[in-house]
Structure formats: structure tokens, C-alpha cells
Amino acid sequence: MNTDEYKTISATSEGYYTEKRSKFLAFAHPVKTVEQVKELIAGYRKKYYDARHVCYAYMLGPERQDFRANDDGEPSSTAGKPILGQINSNELTDILIVVVRYYGGVNLGTSGLIVAYREAAADAIAHATVETRQVEELVKYSFSYPQMNDVMRIVKDMNPRIISQTYDNTCEIVLSIRKSEAEELRQRLAKLL
């Protein structure tokens, strides 16, 4: 896998698992920030106020360094960790998976819980559209108007996304390009000065 690519889901998806009358409703969401995560979890706690547990795990960022797993009162590592395990085994990031448990009256034991949370999370991922995205970097460049054609030739050649451009006494262009190509773009633009 390229270092400037990552996998995430494109839209919210749902999964479901049932074991000994306990119901596990799983919801996978594409997320970018911890604030979004907190908002979504609060929403689930409110919507499913009568559920016994609202467990979750999330992974953020292309480097996949920012993550958390929460058991919400289930025995330690029986809920959040198996959910996070599914995120990891599918190499996903920028994702939150919430699993809401309605208790069915029969204890599942730790191994039963681990299987249930893992399967519910796996089902939500199975129903999701997984896509590979590129890690992009912003490149900002200021130049004089007569250099416009040279700058645009490089832009046409390397094909970054143009985020913004201003044309004045000094022109400025902000480009977004795949991380692995950002340095080359900077060097080519620097040679124009």
C-alpha cells in the first residue's frame, strides 16, 4: 500500500448481529474529527436510550495513529477492541463504528461478546462502500503575472487540484497534490523564480 493512500468508507452503512436474543446494531460512519465522533455517539445514546450498551471504536487520519475503543460497561476489551480489530483488519481510517446492544436476557460470556461485536462491526463494513483516497498536500506559490504561462504549464503537466488562485500585482495559486508528488511540484515551481 502506498504511503500516500488510505482506505475509508464513502457513506454511512449498517450491520446487524443477533445472539441468544441479544441484538447488536452496528453503524459505520465516515468521520474526520473527534468532534464528529462525539456528536455521533451522543446521537446514538439519545436515539437508543433504552439500549444496554453503546460501544464504539474509531480510527482517524491517513497515518492511522489517532484511535480509540470504548466498551461502554461491557467487560474490558470485549466490545471496543473487537470493533477496532475489524477497522484494522480492513485497513480503514476516518471511520467510526458504533454498536448498540439490546440485552436479550442471556449472558453471552466474554468470548460470545467478542464474537458478537466483531461480527456486527464486520457486517457494517461489509455493507459499506470502501474507497481508496490519496493523502494530499497543499502547495502555495506566489509569482508575478508574466510567469502565468510557465506556472500553468507545470499545473497542466502535474495535474494538481487548484484550490484557489488570485491575480493581482502578485499572483498566488494554492494547489493540492498527492503527497508523494508535492516536493517535485515545489521544486519545479521554485525553478521559475
Side-chain angles (χ1 to χ4, degrees):
M1 190 166 128
N2 289 335
T3 53
D4 59 355
E5 283 184 350
Y6 62 96
K7 292 196 307 193
T8 188
I9 59 171
S10 54
T12 301
S13 64
E14 295 183 13
Y16 180 76
Y17 185 77
T18 178
E19 179 70 35
K20 295 181 178 157
R21 296 196 310 271
S22 274
K23 290 188 188 84
F24 297 84
L25 315 176
F27 305 91
H29 290 269
V31 288
K32 287 274 185 209
T33 64
V34 173
E35 287 68 42
Q36 276 180 299
V37 167
K38 287 178 178 166
E39 245 170 67
L40 286 162
I41 292 164
Y44 281 110
R45 288 195 198 286
K46 205 165 164 182
K47 185 175 179 183
Y48 297 101
Y49 64 91
D50 55 341
R52 179 69 69 89
H53 303 281
V54 177
C55 305
Y56 64 89
Y58 66 80
M59 176 75 68
L60 298 174
E63 298 82 29
R64 304 179 76 243
Q65 304 279 309
D66 190 1
F67 60 89
R68 180 148 183 231
N70 185 305
D71 296 319
D72 190 39
E74 289 282 31
S76 180
S77 301
T78 58
K81 252 194 179 149
I83 299 170
L84 187 61
Q86 286 304 305
I87 292 172
N88 282 328
S89 64
N90 286 279
E91 296 176 349
L92 296 170
T93 190
D94 289 347
I95 184 171
L96 162 70
I97 299 180
V98 177
V99 179
V100 176
R101 178 187 184 192
Y102 281 97
Y103 184 61
V106 180
N107 287 339
L108 304 181
T110 52
S111 58
L113 286 171
I114 290 167
V115 168
Y117 281 102
R118 183 180 67 220
E119 292 305 314
D123 196 43
I125 292 169
H127 287 97
T129 303
V130 174
E131 55 187 36
T132 300
R133 294 194 185 154
Q134 293 176 353
V135 179
E136 293 188 338
E137 207 170 293
L138 289 182
V139 175
K140 202 178 207 175
Y141 184 68
S142 299
F143 56 98
S144 59
Y145 193 78
Q147 291 179 294
M148 175 67 73
N149 286 343
D150 296 331
V151 170
M152 288 321 216
R153 198 171 298 120
I154 292 171
V155 167
K156 186 172 187 256
D157 188 35
M158 292 196 68
N159 204 21
R161 282 186 307 129
I162 297 173
I163 304 297
S164 68
Q165 42 194 347
T166 46
Y167 305 110
D168 213 345
N169 295 340
T170 305
C171 303
E172 186 179 87
I173 191 164
V174 179
L175 305 166
S176 183
I177 191 161
R178 191 173 182 147
K179 194 173 184 172
S180 59
E181 297 172 4
E183 196 46 45
E184 182 189 345
L185 178 61
R186 276 194 194 90
Q187 286 173 359
R188 288 181 65 179
L189 290 168
K191 283 180 186 162
L192 296 177
L193 290 175

